């Protein structure tokens, strides 16, 4: 597969199609570093600038439309500008955007979440998933009196210090597969923080048990994504999650499920699907209806850390826009649309897409596989099975970049890492359009 040749050809097409995006990116360079404001959406040579989203379609500055399988990194589960969300936002905008006082919206959305997610007895709202995982780790340290956090290699929990360790380490620095090194993602992560992060191998129960038991005296929490998102939508084996539940319980360590992405898989998230109940849960993305959001919650005895009733709380958690009613009204409107039948429909379309894309790779004779679960999927040009970060990291990056650009040129948008998901405005026609484009992309990649 001569991916570079295909990529060069497709980049020429891309540049020809998107002169207005290219020009705006050039202008942006003067005021935004590299013209970029969000590392995860940068695409070489530049991303397309979006002017509008409606249902499952986006329009760019040059007037092209795309079927949006990127869905703002899984957040846009109802697609864009869903009438129920627009109505909720419009009504709240008329009543005022945010106040230094609580509103009924926070009680409503908290109830909706606690009813659905088995591990949520109580919850607090933040403005991002980053803040949610930061606060969950902080709660675990305060509750247990221990300072270290265990996370999985390739796991992404946002952009705070403890989270930015071994997110995407180069394999030459990653250490042994069954005892991964803690590799800071950038030079700003303090050595003390790196020492306080234990890195575990995903989907490897045996090694994880050994490492957790050996570090039981210093570990406050183990944080895990039930679907390893940023590494390429890699589902955890239920048995692996069950093992984490029992070993953390046995060692007096809290188990945090980061369900910022996996809350998409079922009304109660991955914990609803598997019946495994963590001590704390973090949420984000879909629960804000497209607005900035995060939430963390869990056992009431842990969440009591934040209770101010007796004077000041043991752990304070302020934030000018925490629980602002714009976000929470949009979130509640979204959750009300998400009935069990809707989740089933999303999952069936995800299944159709994964099967079809896998078949396209095989028919073209390409080395690759499609991971994911329910409405989530990710393309890998790596030998199957891809069950952890290292297997994904061994994939052909050039082929992946080529596939993403080729799909864009054919009116299909993924996120730059080659992941995507289904939104409710999509049906079989959209999935089949994706598959037709992907069959063409695969055969072009195979023939170079
Ligand atoms: C599993 C997971 N946790 C946390 C985050 C951070 O969320 P945010 O981007 O809202 O800060 C993300 C973002 O992609 C995520 O995928």
């Amino acid at each position: 597969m001569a991916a570079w040749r295909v990529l060069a050809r497709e980049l020429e097409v891309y540049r020809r199609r998107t002169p207005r995006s290219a020009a705006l990116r050039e202008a942006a360079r003067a005021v935004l570093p590299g013209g970029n404001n969000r590392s995860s959406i940068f695409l070489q040579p530049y991303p397309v600038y979006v002017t509008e989203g409606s249902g499952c379609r986006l329009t760019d500055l040059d007037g092209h439309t795309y079927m949006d399988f990127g869905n703002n990194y899984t957040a846009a589960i109802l697609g864009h500008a869903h009438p129920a969300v627009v109505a909720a936002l419009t009504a709240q905008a008329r009543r005022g955007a945010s106040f230094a006082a609580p509103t009924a919206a926070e009680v409503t959305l908290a109830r909706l979440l606690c009813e659905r997610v088995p591990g949520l007895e109580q919850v607090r709202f933040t403005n991002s998933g980053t803040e949610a995982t930061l606060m969950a780790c902080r709660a675990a340290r305060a509750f247990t009196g221990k300072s270290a956090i265990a996370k999985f290699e390739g796991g992404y929990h946002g952009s705070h210090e403890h989270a930015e360790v071994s997110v995407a380490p180069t394999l030459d620095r990653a250490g042994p597969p069954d005892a991964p090194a803690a590799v800071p993602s950038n030079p700003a992560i303090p050595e003390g923080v790196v020492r306080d992060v234990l890195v575990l191998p995903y989907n490897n129960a045996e090694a994880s048990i050994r490492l957790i038991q050996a570090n039981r005296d210093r570990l406050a929490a183990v944080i895990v994504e039930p679907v390893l998102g940023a590494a390429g939508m890699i589902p955890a084996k239920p048995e692996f999650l069950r093992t984490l539940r029992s070993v953390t319980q046995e060692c007096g360590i809290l188990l945090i499920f980061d369900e910022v992405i996996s809350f998409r898989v079922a009304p109660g998230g991955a914990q609803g699907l598997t019946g495994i109940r963590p001590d704390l849960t973090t949420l984000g993305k879909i629960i804000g209806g497209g607005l900035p959001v995060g939430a963390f919650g869990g056992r009431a005895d842990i969440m009591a850390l934040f209770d101010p009733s007796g004077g000041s709380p043991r752990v304070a958690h302020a934030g000018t826009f925490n629980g602002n009613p714009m976000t929470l009204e949009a979130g509640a409107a979204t959750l009300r649309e998400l009935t069990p039948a809707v989740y089933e429909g999303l999952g069936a379309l995800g299944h159709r897409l994964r099967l079809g894309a896998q078949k396209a790779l095989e028919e073209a004779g390409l080395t690759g596989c499609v991971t994911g679960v329910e409405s989530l999927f990710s393309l890998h040009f790596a030998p199957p099975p891809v069950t952890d970060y290292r297997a994904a990291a061994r994939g052909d990056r050039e082929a992946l970049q080529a596939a993403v650009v080729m799909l864009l040129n054919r009116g299909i948008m993924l996120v730059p890492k080659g992941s995507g998901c289904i939104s409710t405005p999509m049906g079989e026609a959209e999935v089949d359009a994706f598959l037709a484009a992907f069959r063409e992309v695969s055969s072009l990649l195979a023939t170079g």
Side-chain angles (χ1 to χ4, degrees), residues 284-302:
K285 302 214 193 264
I286 69 169
I287 69 161
L291 271 69
V293 76
F296 67 101
R299 276 168 43 191
D301 59 334
I302 303 171

Side-chain angles (χ1 to χ4, degrees), residues 108-167:
T108 303
L109 187 58
R111 273 204 195 113
L112 277 170
L113 292 172
C114 291
E115 276 162 20
R116 290 180 183 212
V117 184
L120 281 190
E121 290 170 11
Q122 295 192 322
V123 68
R124 286 178 78 87
F125 294 106
T126 63
N127 293 291
S128 65
T130 292
E131 290 164 73
T133 61
L134 182 153
M135 290 307 301
C137 290
R138 186 173 289 178
R141 288 197 298 271
F143 188 76
T144 60
K146 298 189 272 183
S147 64
I149 302 291
K151 76 174 285 287
F152 287 86
E153 190 169 59
Y156 181 68
H157 304 288
S159 52
H160 57 88
E161 268 64 11
H162 287 81
E164 294 222 49
V165 176
S166 293
V167 175

Side-chain angles (χ1 to χ4, degrees), residues 151-420:
K151 76 174 285 287
F152 287 86
E153 190 169 59
Y156 181 68
H157 304 288
S159 52
H160 57 88
E161 268 64 11
H162 287 81
E164 294 222 49
V165 176
S166 293
V167 175
T170 55
L171 294 181
D172 57 331
R173 294 180 70 204
D178 57 355
V183 183
S185 300
N186 61 61
I189 311 298
E191 270 176 37
V193 168
V194 179
R195 274 197 300 276
D196 263 343
V197 177
L198 174 72
V199 180
L200 305 171
Y202 199 72
N203 270 331
N204 182 339
E206 209 176 298
S208 296
I209 293 178
R210 182 174 44 73
L211 290 164
I212 291 167
Q213 284 175 337
N215 288 276
R216 64 196 300 160
D217 293 340
R218 69 184 190 106
L219 280 179
V222 172
I223 184 166
V224 62
E225 291 166 87
V227 180
L228 200 58
M233 301 302 173
I234 302 170
K237 297 170 192 156
E239 204 36 54
F240 167 71
L241 292 178
R242 243 185 297 283
T243 301
L244 294 181
R245 178 61 289 181
S246 53
V247 71
T248 47
Q249 224 145 24
E250 163 205 317
C251 294
I253 298 164
L254 300 186
L255 181 62
I256 306 172
F257 274 8
D258 181 353
E259 298 233 38
V260 167
I261 285 181
S262 62
F263 190 46
R264 237 182 184 272
V265 304
Q271 57 194 276
L273 211 56
T274 59
I276 302 163
R277 198 169 161 155
D279 301 296
L280 291 170
T281 299
T282 54
L283 299 168
K285 302 214 193 264
I286 69 169
I287 69 161
L291 271 69
V293 76
F296 67 101
R299 276 168 43 191
D301 59 334
I302 303 171
M303 295 305 286
L305 289 165
F306 302 96
D307 182 348
S309 316
S312 51
R314 275 180 289 161
V315 181
H317 169 228
T320 304
F321 297 106
N322 284 1
N324 75 79
M326 293 290 286
T327 294
L328 302 196
E329 290 288 356
T334 300
L335 286 199
R336 287 193 195 103
E337 296 292 318
L338 295 174
T339 60
V342 168
Y343 277 95
E344 252 176 57
L346 289 169
L349 290 177
H351 183 69
R352 184 183 184 93
L353 187 146
R354 284 189 301 278
L355 275 189
Q358 182 71 48
K359 192 158 165 247
L361 287 170
E362 281 159 19
E363 281 174 0
L366 291 172
T367 300
C369 63
V370 186
T371 53
V373 58
E374 300 295 334
S375 64
L376 303 164
F377 69 91
S378 195
L379 309 174
H380 298 271
F381 291 92
V386 170
T387 55
D388 65 8
Y389 164 74
R390 293 191 190 202
R394 284 190 201 102
D396 181 339
R397 279 161 205 248
E398 217 161 44
L400 190 60
Q401 193 201 346
V404 170
V405 173
M406 290 163 96
L407 286 169
L408 269 179
N409 285 342
R410 287 155 183 77
I412 306 270
M413 187 180 280
L414 298 179
V415 300
K417 286 177 172 208
S419 297

